[in-house]
Amino acid sequence: MIEPVFFYSALIISVAAFLAILRVLLGPSVPDRVVGVDTLNTLVVAAMVLLGAAYDRTIYIDIAIVYALLSYIGTLIIARYLQGGLE
Amino acid sequence: MGLIVKTSARAIIPLIGIFGTYIVAHGHLTPGGGFQGGATIAGAGVLFLVAFGLNEMRKHYNKHLYSALEGLGGLAFLGAAMLGIGTAFFYNTLWHNGPILNGKPGTLLSAGFLPIMNLAVGLKVFTGLVSALVAIAMYRRWKS
């Protein structure tokens, strides 16, 4: 049973993700791009959960959890690099 | 890094470890498996390295132990593949007539040697990735 309302909300999320990609492409400084990527990560997690509900597969939520955990680590590594590296 | 990052890392590292172990253990039932779960657990190691720094990682990291565990993962994979060598290489004898791991399909203790192989690959990937990252992190100083 495919519920169309989840697809519409995923479409809205993808529009927001497109705007975040625009910030990553245009951002004048590096922290702008990092914040854009962080926003994009959160939006991708939201889209994964919505698409898992749309396709009616509960196991797709696992992938969203893994992505949320690993995107946090990725942002943390970039922040550590920007604040002065690993020393 | 700062206090907030250290405290949140203290909370998140066990969560990532348990979730990665769940992915490895349910490799024959849900998406994921040995490599994906092992890489997820290695993410916990990366978080430890980034949040607590290289000196703290040096205290908790044992090169010989990780090297031995990586070899043990490969050997366990090969041993599981050799179990049905009487018929053929990679013959899943645990599933056809084994004592364990031949439950109803869909339960945790099913699928023959696949959970053993997933655990072996997960162990190998985790120890290998953590060893590589720690080796890169303490490679050398910037100036020669």
Side-chain angles (χ1 to χ4, degrees):
Chain A
M1 172 75 195
I2 289 180
E3 201 66 53
V5 73
F6 290 119
F7 279 115
Y8 297 145
S9 42
L11 197 67
I12 295 169
I13 293 284
S14 64
V15 170
F18 177 73
L19 294 176
I21 289 173
L22 219 57
R23 177 47 69 199
V24 174
L25 290 176
L26 296 177
S29 68
V30 175
D32 283 337
R33 295 172 206 262
V34 174
V35 172
V37 169
D38 200 24
T39 312
L40 191 60
N41 284 330
T42 313
L43 289 173
V44 165
V45 171
M48 277 179 182
V49 173
L50 283 171
L51 287 176
Y55 289 110
D56 204 7
R57 297 274 194 279
T58 49
I59 49 178
Y60 290 176
I61 307 297
D62 288 1
I63 301 155
I65 295 172
V66 171
Y67 190 83
L69 292 171
L70 293 185
S71 71
Y72 168 68
I73 298 173
T75 310
L76 204 62
I77 289 171
I78 299 174
R80 172 120 202 198
Y81 176 68
L82 290 179
Q83 77 155 14
L86 193 72
E87 256 316 299
Chain B
M1 290 190 78
L3 182 64
I4 297 174
V5 173
K6 278 186 184 171
T7 309
S8 65
R10 223 170 258 135
I12 288 175
I13 285 171
L15 182 66
I16 298 178
I18 290 171
F19 202 79
T21 316
Y22 158 75
I23 291 173
V24 172
H26 289 73
H28 52 298
L29 302 174
T30 61
F35 183 82
Q36 288 84 356
T40 309
I41 306 172
V46 175
L47 182 56
F48 187 90
L49 176 63
V50 169
F52 294 102
L54 187 54
N55 287 327
E56 195 70 24
M57 190 72 183
R58 238 190 225 122
K59 282 182 212 154
H60 292 89
Y61 171 77
N62 186 351
K63 185 172 71 177
H64 304 293
L65 174 67
Y66 274 65
S67 182
L69 281 179
E70 189 182 357
L72 184 70
L75 279 180
F77 188 92
L78 198 60
M82 285 286 185
L83 278 177
I85 197 68
T87 308
F89 192 48
F90 274 101
Y91 178 70
N92 199 342
T93 184
L94 279 182
W95 167 247
H96 290 291
N97 44 20
I100 53 167
L101 294 172
N102 55 355
K104 205 161 75 61
T107 56
L108 187 59
L109 293 178
S110 65
F113 58 31
L114 281 184
I116 303 172
M117 284 184 165
N118 274 325
L119 287 172
V121 172
L123 185 69
K124 189 168 170 56
V125 168
F126 162 64
T127 51
L129 278 179
V130 168
S131 302
L133 284 162
V134 171
I136 291 171
M138 55 189 186
Y139 172 57
R140 196 177 278 179
R141 301 283 74 81
W142 288 113
K143 294 189 183 112
S144 75

